[in-house]
Amino acid sequence: MKRYPLVEVEWTDSAGTDGWMRAHAAMNETGVTECLTTGYLLSKTKRLVRVAQSKHNRERQPDVVNHWGNVMCIPRAVVRRIRRCGVQRGE
């Protein structure tokens, strides 16, 4: 039985604005966004980290197997850290 640990992924995302701004504001008031995503670690490769933020409740729906919701793929190049969030039951 494969296990899917609950993790917190710390990563950096791009950010932008719409509209016009003065050069000083563009240089000093814009930047990247530091993000935290929590979910079940589905896979981790050299290229990406795949996290599902929801999963079905197998105890209440035993006929449904391996259904995941809100899956996010984060490029590995922007991942700063992956931290396990505790002991979780297997799938």
Side-chain angles (χ1 to χ4, degrees):
M1 181 184 323
K2 185 170 180 176
R3 297 194 180 271
Y4 301 95
L6 188 61
V7 297
E8 178 183 79
V9 181
E10 183 179 328
W11 59 288
T12 305
D13 198 3
S14 60
T17 64
D18 64 1
W20 293 87
M21 59 180 19
R22 296 185 182 272
H24 181 269
M27 296 299 291
N28 295 295
E29 297 175 17
T30 58
V32 297
T33 300
E34 299 300 328
C35 302
L36 291 174
T37 297
T38 303
Y40 296 93
L41 180 64
L42 299 181
S43 65
K44 180 172 65 171
T45 68
K46 290 181 181 180
R47 189 167 179 222
L48 62 87
V49 174
R50 185 174 286 116
V51 177
Q53 294 175 342
S54 301
K55 72 173 189 165
H56 76 280
N57 186 337
R58 192 169 186 182
E59 291 174 3
R60 293 187 183 246
Q61 279 185 301
D63 57 325
V64 178
V65 179
N66 282 339
H67 276 116
W68 301 95
N70 306 313
V71 176
M72 178 175 246
C73 294
I74 305 169
R76 192 67 184 263
V78 299
V79 173
R80 300 180 69 171
R81 183 174 69 129
I82 301 173
R83 182 181 68 82
R84 284 184 180 241
C85 295
V87 178
Q88 297 297 308
R89 289 184 292 167
E91 186 56 31

